[in-house]
């Protein structure tokens, strides 16, 4: 293919896999016995599984037949670590050019440089498969979900080209008259360049006079490579007034900080911590590259069961407080002086931030309101006629008399019953309608929660979820142990790239369409995804279904367009285009799958379903669909072989292990030590995750620290998440994007313990610490470097827990060893593989 620009006719785009043809994995268990042992069907996929002879834990204790039982060797079953390492070895560090339709990108775990040559970078869009089946019958036969995980504002590394901005002045972007798709590489110019045929709906359009250009000898415009919208997969347009609310340019956004000043927050020092940090972080508000200072205005509210608004106008000597006691009908008591430019009002604001902790020092008020606080922020943005974001710092169940008042309804008796779904649903519809109003007025809500008991995350978290905000939660927050994690999150959240008042539309070529959307999104109709804000970490997963046949020549084309307002108040359109192949051969479909994207899709669809269906049913569906996808491959694509063999397509080798991790997640399988709030919190987080985050979340990274060369600057090779990989003389670091554990074996080398913790031995290590001490030794520096690399690019700051072998915190750590059998149900990887194999055999019979 040409080295720049998109390819010519689609037929010149063969599927490009890795250099050598991948072979399917064939697992040959030592004996039939192994499979007969797995005598549980999908209905027990999440229950305690008992095996004859302690299969497959330690040595088989003979409980049954006299001859020793052979079992699957964990080393002979597909390893996620191996798959990740192989992809890094073949594709790491290389340039990946997007000029070929339907090629499968490197895995999310592989670092490479992406060059846009006509299709959107996989940083923006990843698919469950890069080759769609031609017909809906084929799709039903394979049951592979056809979906895209779209992260429209993904951060691009500095060695890749940022998006070009196309400005057609008052003309605005060129669009198809019929389907309204935007000009892109999929448009075919004809009749000497006077007209073009739309790649999505085939409508022939006139080229507007201002846009005319002659064609070369192969029918390509002479300015093809000068125009981003003709040669690139992703780019932006400056939007005209037609794309703005009320046809006038938007105002720059505002950030409003809302602090819960109830008794416990004052007492534990949280309010003072927040106020001190805001003094620093307000100097780092996001701004456009070319701007001197940020255009974002700021405002401040404190609250308990009443609201306090502050006037921080730059000409005041002292901030002024206005109290709103009628929380039933919130109004904004001041307009002028509430939202201000930070630079201009800096001294008044600092004055206020110094005073807030003192002002409420003697307050004994422990009751709080919640919904009226969001209402107030939204009303303030509405009055100022600008989009914006509310930062709420809140810590208790809102029990004060007010709209959105909640009661403690946490009920352990509902767990493992058909009514368990109630725990995930909000307890009043106030929050949904509040979120709807927020989206209508482009008010995004980010919530920092500091609960010491049940706060009903299912209700409080709904507003951040539906408004494109983020939810952070710090259980039993303690100063100074937890302050670092919180402050990192706050800084990161304030500084990150974000678009406001956004509408996303996903268009497709004829033959298929977007049918379902998963993520932090709100939808008034079936096509427009509305987001009060969208930031660089949020992904929306979109499912597609056939509504007709797809052609192998034309392929399946996707265009995602996001209309939004920048942080400086400019209205823009961000366009991402991606072309996929289509085939009438099932083998092509299986060859082009991406397991990490499949798991992202399955997790989101399962987590959406928990609101309506019993968890047991959801787990059964996941097991059945896994077996079905693999059985279809076995029947139609694999060469004939003995039934005792489990054959997996190369692209889905590790689907079973990841699927088992999903089935065992605390959202789908309750565990006594995990609270309802924690389950609801994790459910909400996963709903907006991109592929890289869901990959790490379900299969954590486990790194050996001791065997490590202290001088090397790269990460040590990961090991599989299983207890069998730990050793008493080892030290291991585990991370899943939310938590980080440092596990210490009982015989850890004293010199390493000394080097990391500055104490003489294992016994002296204090497990309460959440920050490693400053030691300055090579061991300490190396470990900190590893922790920093893992933390980079992750949306949440991970809290560190020290887990000593054979001590209490180790129990929590063990739940993350996802290849092992769960303490409270949940199969081991080996067991689950046997279970899936059994299901496949039943389907094939």
């Amino acid at each position: 293919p040409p080295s720049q620009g998109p390819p010519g006719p689609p037929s010149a785009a063969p599927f490009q896999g890795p250099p050598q043809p991948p072979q399917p994995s064939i697992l040959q268990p030592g004996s039939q016995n192994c499979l007969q042992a797995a005598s549980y069907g999908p209905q027990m996929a999440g229950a305690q599984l008992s095996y004859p002879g302690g299969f497959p834990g330690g040595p088989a204790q003979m409980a049954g037949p006299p001859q020793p039982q052979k079992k699957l060797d964990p080393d002979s079953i597909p390893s996620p670590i191996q798959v990740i390492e192989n992809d890094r070895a073949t594709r790491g560090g290389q340039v990946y050019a997007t000029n070929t339709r339907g090629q499968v990108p490197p895995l999310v775990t592989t670092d490479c440089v992406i060059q846009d040559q006509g299709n959107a970078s996989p940083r923006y869009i990843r698919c469950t498969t890069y080759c769609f089946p031609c017909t809906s019958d084929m799709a039903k036969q394979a049951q592979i979900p056809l979906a895209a995980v779209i992260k429209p504002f993904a951060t691009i590394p500095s060695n890749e080209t940022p998006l070009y901005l196309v400005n057609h002045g008052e003309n605005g972007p060129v669009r198809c008259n019929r389907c309204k798709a935007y000009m892109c590489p999929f448009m075919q110019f004809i009749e000497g360049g006077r007209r073009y045929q739309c790649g999505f709906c085939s409508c022939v359009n006139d080229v507007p006079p201002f846009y005319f250009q002659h064609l070369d000898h192969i029918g390509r415009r002479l300015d093809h490579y000068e125009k981003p919208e003709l040669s690139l997969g992703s780019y932006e347009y400056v939007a005209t007034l037609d794309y703005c609310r009320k046809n006038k340019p938007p105002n720059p956004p505002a950030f409003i900080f809302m602090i819960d000043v109830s008794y416990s927050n004052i007492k534990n020092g949280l309010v003072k911590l927040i106020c001190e940090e805001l003094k620093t972080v307000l100097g780092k508000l996001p701004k456009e590259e070319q701007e001197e200072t940020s255009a974002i205005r700021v405002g401040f509210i404190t609250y308990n069961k009443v609201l306090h608004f502050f006037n921080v106008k730059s000409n005041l000597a002292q901030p002024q407080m206005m109290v709103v006691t009628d929380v039933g009908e919130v109004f904004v008591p001041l307009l002028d002086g509430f939202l201000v430019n930070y630079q201009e009002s800096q001294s008044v604001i600092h004055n206020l931030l110094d005073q807030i902790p003192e002002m409420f020092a003697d307050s004994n008020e422990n009751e709080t309101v919640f919904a009226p606080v969001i209402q107030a922020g939204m009303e303030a943005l509405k009055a100022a006629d600008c989009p914006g974001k509310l930062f709420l710092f809140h810590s208790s169940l809102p029990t004060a008399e007010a709209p959105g008042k909640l009661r403690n309804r946490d009920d352990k008796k509902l767990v493992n019953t058909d009514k368990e779904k109630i725990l995930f649903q909000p307890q009043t519809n106030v929050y949904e309608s509040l979120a709807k109003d927020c989206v209508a007025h482009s008010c995004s809500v980010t919530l920092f929660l500091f609960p010491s008991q049940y706060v009903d995350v299912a209700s409080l978290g709904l507003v951040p979820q539906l408004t494109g905000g983020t939810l952070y939660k710090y259980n039993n927050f303690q100063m100074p142990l937890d302050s670092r994690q919180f402050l990192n999150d706050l800084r990161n959240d304030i500084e990150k790239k974000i678009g406001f008042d956004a509408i996303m539309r996903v268009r497709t070529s004829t033959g298929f369409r977007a049918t379902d959307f998963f993520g932090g999104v709100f939808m008034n109709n079936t096509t427009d995804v509305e987001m009060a804000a969208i930031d660089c970490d949020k992904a929306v997963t979109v499912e597609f279904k056939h509504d007709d046949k797809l052609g192998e020549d034309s392929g399946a084309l996707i265009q995602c367009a996001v209309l939004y307002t920048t942080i400086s108040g400019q209205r823009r359109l961000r366009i991402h285009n991606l072309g996929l192949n289509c085939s009438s051969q099932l083998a092509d479909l299986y060859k082009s799958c991406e397991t990490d994207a499949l798991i992202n899709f399955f997790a989101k669809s399962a987590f959406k379903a928990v609101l309506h269906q019993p968890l047991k049913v959801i787990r059964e569906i996941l097991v059945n669909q896994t077996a079905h996808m693999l059985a279809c491959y076995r029947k139609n694509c694999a060469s004939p072989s003995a039934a005792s063999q489990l054959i997996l397509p190369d692209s889905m080798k590790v689907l079973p292990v990841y699927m088992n991790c999903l089935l065992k997640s605390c959202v789908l399988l309750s565990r006594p030590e995990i609270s309802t709030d924690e389950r609801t919190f994790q459910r909400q987080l996963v709903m907006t995750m991109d592929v890289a985050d869901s990959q790490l979340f379900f299969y954590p990274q486990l790194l050996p620290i001791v065997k490590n060369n202290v001088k090397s600057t790269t990460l040590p090779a990961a090991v599989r998440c299983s207890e069998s990989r730990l050793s008493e003389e080892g030290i291991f670091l585990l991370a899943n994007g939310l938590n980080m554990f440092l596990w210490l074996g009982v015989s850890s080398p004293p010199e390493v313990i000394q080097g990391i913790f500055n104490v003489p031995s294992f016994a002296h290590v204090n497990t309460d610490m959440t920050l490693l001490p400053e030691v300055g030794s090579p061991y300490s520096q190396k470990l900190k470097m590893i922790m920093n690399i893992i933390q980079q690019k992750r949306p949440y700051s991970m809290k560190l827990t020290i887990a000593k072998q054979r001590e209490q915190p180790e129990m929590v750590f063990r739940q993350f060893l996802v290849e092992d059998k769960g303490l409270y149900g949940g199969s081991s990887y080996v067991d689950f593989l046997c279970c899936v194999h059994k299901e496949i055999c039943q389907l094939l019979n």
Side-chain angles (χ1 to χ4, degrees):
S3 61
Q4 48 176 19
S11 55
F15 164 74
Q16 291 196 325
Q20 71 286 16
Q23 289 308 308
S25 302
I26 301 180
L27 302 180
Q28 180 79 63
S31 75
Q32 274 308 114
N33 244 347
C34 150
L35 296 164
Q36 280 146 8
S39 59
Y40 55 98
Q43 73 283 359
M44 281 185 56
Q48 284 284 172
L49 305 171
S50 58
Y51 265 76
F55 174 99
Q61 276 106 37
M62 290 324 308
Q67 74 281 20
Q69 194 173 28
K70 293 216 183 86
K71 58 185 172 121
L72 274 182
D73 167 17
D75 283 328
S76 71
I77 58 180
S79 153
I81 305 302
Q82 203 50 58
V83 167
I84 289 169
E85 286 305 323
N86 291 353
D87 195 70
R88 281 185 181 146
T90 50
R91 309 183 79 172
Q94 299 176 6
V95 173
Y96 171 76
T98 68
N99 53 356
T100 310
R101 190 183 81 192
Q103 62 183 340
V104 183
L107 296 179
V108 280
T109 41
T110 299
D111 265 331
C112 59
V113 178
I114 293 160
Q115 204 171 50
D116 183 342
Q117 294 189 1
N119 283 292
S121 158
R123 299 193 198 285
Y124 296 121
I125 308 182
R126 280 187 174 269
C127 295
T128 52
T129 175
Y130 291 82
C131 177
F132 277 15
C134 283
T135 64
S136 61
D137 284 348
M138 240 180 106
K140 284 192 190 88
Q141 198 183 348
Q143 281 194 24
I144 294 172
L146 308 177
V149 185
I150 305 176
K151 191 178 171 189
F153 283 80
T155 309
I156 293 302
S158 53
N159 59 350
E160 291 176 16
T161 318
L163 296 191
Y164 285 98
L165 181 61
V166 179
N167 189 347
H168 290 324
E170 287 177 7
N171 293 305
V174 177
R175 301 177 68 178
C176 170
N177 290 326
R178 187 199 288 161
C179 72
K180 298 288 182 267
Y182 295 85
M183 180 52 66
C184 69
F186 306 144
M187 305 298 191
Q188 192 65 46
F189 288 87
I190 51 174
E191 295 178 28
R194 286 189 302 282
R195 308 179 84 186
Y196 68 91
Q197 183 168 25
C198 174
F200 295 92
C201 70
S202 305
C203 174
V204 173
N205 297 270
D206 290 331
V207 172
F210 86 89
Y211 200 66
F212 175 77
Q213 179 57 268
H214 294 286
L215 307 183
D216 65 12
H217 64 288
I218 54 165
R220 186 184 271 175
R221 282 173 58 124
L222 298 175
D223 60 1
H224 179 87
Y225 292 118
E226 283 130 57
K227 291 209 174 307
E229 74 274 24
L230 299 181
S231 53
L232 298 176
S234 302
Y235 43 87
E236 291 200 305
Y237 282 116
V238 175
T240 54
L241 291 180
D242 309 348
Y243 293 90
C244 302
R245 285 186 189 236
K246 304 183 193 124
N247 289 53
K248 62 186 209 340
N251 289 313
F255 284 179
I256 304 178
F257 298 91
M258 310 171 126
I259 306 170
D260 164 358
V261 290
S262 56
Y263 174 78
S264 56
N265 282 4
I266 296 287
K267 193 105 182 92
N268 69 8
L270 181 61
V271 172
K272 192 170 183 9
L273 179 73
I274 293 167
C275 291
E276 281 304 311
E277 182 60 22
L278 285 177
K279 288 193 226 168
T280 316
V281 93
L282 287 169
K284 301 180 181 153
L285 293 171
K287 61 185 198 323
E288 299 290 347
E289 273 81 36
Q290 69 280 2
E291 290 180 326
E292 284 286 303
T293 60
S294 173
I296 295 171
R297 290 179 297 163
V298 294
F300 303 88
I301 290 176
T302 57
Y303 66 95
N304 35 47
K305 61 189 224 191
V306 296
L307 280 68
H308 324 101
F309 288 75
F310 295 95
N311 183 344
V312 283
K313 206 171 171 177
S314 57
N315 58 9
L316 293 173
Q318 283 286 342
Q320 295 168 348
M321 175 162 100
M322 298 174 107
V323 182
V324 173
T325 52
D326 181 5
V327 289
E329 288 292 324
V330 180
F331 68 100
V332 181
L334 77 153
L335 290 178
D336 188 31
F338 177 62
L339 293 179
V340 297
N341 175 297
Y342 171 67
Q343 255 59 37
E344 289 167 16
S345 294
Q346 187 172 350
S347 62
V348 195
I349 290 172
H350 281 220
N351 203 331
L352 169 66
L353 294 172
D354 288 336
Q355 287 176 34
I356 286 175
E358 265 66 81
M359 221 182 287
F360 300 99
D362 303 327
S363 156
N364 290 327
E365 185 53 69
N366 227 344
E367 280 206 304
T368 56
V369 296
F370 185 79
V373 185
I374 294 175
Q375 185 78 34
M378 181 188 74
E379 296 292 347
L381 293 174
K382 191 165 136 187
D385 195 21
C386 69
K389 177 163 162 177
L390 312 182
F391 292 80
L392 258 85
F393 304 91
H394 186 88
S395 63
S396 60
L397 195 66
T399 52
E401 249 350 288
K405 170 185 175 176
L406 299 173
R407 59 189 171 77
N408 186 340
R409 46 127 191 191
D410 191 16
D411 186 356
K412 282 270 187 267
K413 288 199 286 297
L414 298 179
V415 172
N416 289 328
T417 70
D418 285 356
K419 290 192 173 156
E420 190 168 358
K421 59 186 177 204
I422 296 169
L423 297 173
F424 293 100
Q425 299 164 356
Q427 60 170 288
T428 142
N429 51 16
V430 169
Y431 291 100
E432 187 165 354
S433 59
L434 179 60
K436 199 172 173 173
D437 289 347
C438 284
V439 173
H441 296 104
S442 39
C443 165
S444 174
V445 180
T446 279
L447 173 58
F448 294 85
L449 270 179
F450 304 87
S452 53
Q453 54 213 40
Y454 178 74
V455 290
D456 200 347
V457 172
S459 300
L460 302 188
L462 195 63
V463 182
Q465 169 98 33
L466 295 175
T467 60
T470 308
L471 176 59
Y472 298 92
K473 184 162 78 77
Y474 312 92
N475 302 333
N476 303 312
F477 184 84
Q478 279 182 303
M479 299 265 289
L481 282 182
D482 302 314
S483 44
R484 174 64 43 234
Q485 184 195 11
F486 159 58
L487 295 178
N488 284 344
D489 281 336
L490 176 60
R491 284 170 203 164
N492 186 27
D493 201 281
I494 285 179
E495 295 171 27
K496 68 182 167 188
K497 184 161 176 56
I498 181 170
F500 291 92
D501 192 11
I503 296 184
M504 179 168 107
R505 188 82 182 258
V506 178
R507 291 181 174 82
T508 52
S509 51
T510 42
F512 74 116
R513 64 194 167 87
T515 54
D516 218 344
F517 296 86
F518 306 90
V521 298
F522 182 79
M523 300 190 72
N524 265 325
N525 55 37
T526 54
T527 54
D528 294 328
V529 180
E530 297 183 46
M531 295 170 282
I534 180 166
D535 65 46
C536 57
D537 295 320
K538 300 286 183 292
V540 178
T541 298
V542 185
E543 186 177 13
F544 301 102
K545 293 254 165 49
H546 287 78
D547 49 17
D548 204 348
K549 281 195 173 66
L550 292 169
E552 297 201 355
D553 294 346
S554 48
L557 311 179
I558 298 168
Q559 181 178 80
C560 164
V562 184
L563 173 64
Y564 73 101
T565 300
T566 65
I567 41 183
S568 60
Q570 189 185 45
R571 202 73 176 140
R572 284 191 191 170
L573 284 149
R574 180 170 281 223
I575 314 291
H576 297 298
N577 304 287
L578 183 63
L580 305 175
N581 284 342
C582 294
S583 175
S584 51
Q585 302 299 314
L586 281 165
D588 293 335
L589 172 60
Y590 281 95
K591 225 185 277 177
S592 309
C593 283
E594 186 185 302
T595 291
D596 295 324
L598 279 167
I599 291 296
N600 181 283
F601 172 83
F602 282 124
K604 288 184 185 181
S605 62
F607 285 12
K608 188 174 180 175
V610 302
L611 297 173
H612 316 290
Q613 283 177 293
L615 299 187
K616 193 170 132 221
V617 173
I618 296 169
R619 291 197 303 264
E620 281 171 24
I621 291 170
L622 289 171
V623 176
N624 289 340
Q625 192 162 354
T626 305
H628 196 106
M629 285 157 44
L630 298 173
C632 175
Y633 174 79
R634 171 70 191 258
K635 186 176 169 187
N636 300 287
C637 313
S639 45
S641 59
S644 63
Q645 289 186 338
L646 171 59
I647 302 181
L648 303 169
D650 193 64
S651 67
M652 289 186 180
K653 272 206 297 232
V654 290
L655 182 72
V657 63
Y658 286 163
M659 188 57 90
N660 192 36
C661 298
L662 168 58
L663 289 164
K664 293 200 285 189
S665 78
C666 70
V667 178
L668 295 183
L669 189 66
S670 67
R671 303 206 289 266
E673 84 286 8
I674 295 206
S675 68
T676 300
D677 272 347
E678 182 60 26
R679 298 175 73 194
T680 313
F681 172 64
Q682 293 193 18
R683 176 189 168 268
Q684 180 159 335
L685 255 47
V686 168
M687 290 309 289
T688 59
M689 277 184 183
D690 73 349
V691 178
D693 292 332
S694 58
Q695 190 277 335
L696 183 68
F697 182 73
F698 289 110
Y699 194 92
Q701 205 169 12
L702 181 60
L703 304 173
I705 297 302
V706 172
K707 298 194 176 99
N708 211 325
N709 168 5
V710 178
K711 294 197 172 56
S712 114
T713 53
T714 54
L715 286 184
V719 296
R720 294 169 69 163
C721 284
S722 167
E723 192 191 344
S724 61
R725 310 287 155 164
L726 305 175
S727 61
E728 295 197 349
E729 47 290 333
I731 295 179
F732 290 81
L733 184 71
L734 181 142
N736 76 338
L738 279 189
N739 308 289
M740 209 178 257
F741 289 90
L742 190 63
W743 182 88
L744 312 174
V746 283
S747 313
S748 308
E751 69 277 13
V752 183
I753 295 283
Q754 179 72 50
I756 295 173
F757 297 102
N758 208 12
V759 296
S761 74
F762 175 85
H764 293 83
V765 175
N766 168 15
T767 53
D768 290 341
M769 67 174 78
T770 53
L771 269 181
L772 294 178
E774 292 298 331
V775 183
S777 73
Y779 287 114
S780 174
Q781 286 166 330
K782 177 74 200 266
L783 178 55
K784 287 186 173 178
M785 181 207 80
I786 291 171
M787 287 166 66
N788 286 338
I789 292 175
I790 293 176
Q791 180 60 64
Q792 263 164 15
K793 307 191 287 259
R794 297 294 169 186
Y796 295 91
S797 177
M798 293 178 244
K799 180 180 173 176
L800 178 68
T801 304
I802 310 289
K804 286 182 174 180
Q805 187 177 6
R806 301 184 197 142
E807 287 186 19
Q808 194 47 44
E810 200 201 8
M811 297 300 280
V812 182
F813 166 77
R814 280 177 188 250
Q815 293 292 332
F816 294 93
L817 300 176
V818 289
E819 289 199 22
D820 300 340
K821 188 165 155 178
L823 294 173
Y824 303 104
S827 335
S828 70
Y829 173 22
V830 172
D831 291 5
F832 183 68
L833 209 51
C834 289
C835 163
V836 168
H837 187 181
K838 192 158 184 260
E839 280 287 289
I840 292 169
C841 293
Q842 281 172 350
L843 287 167
L844 295 176
N845 292 341

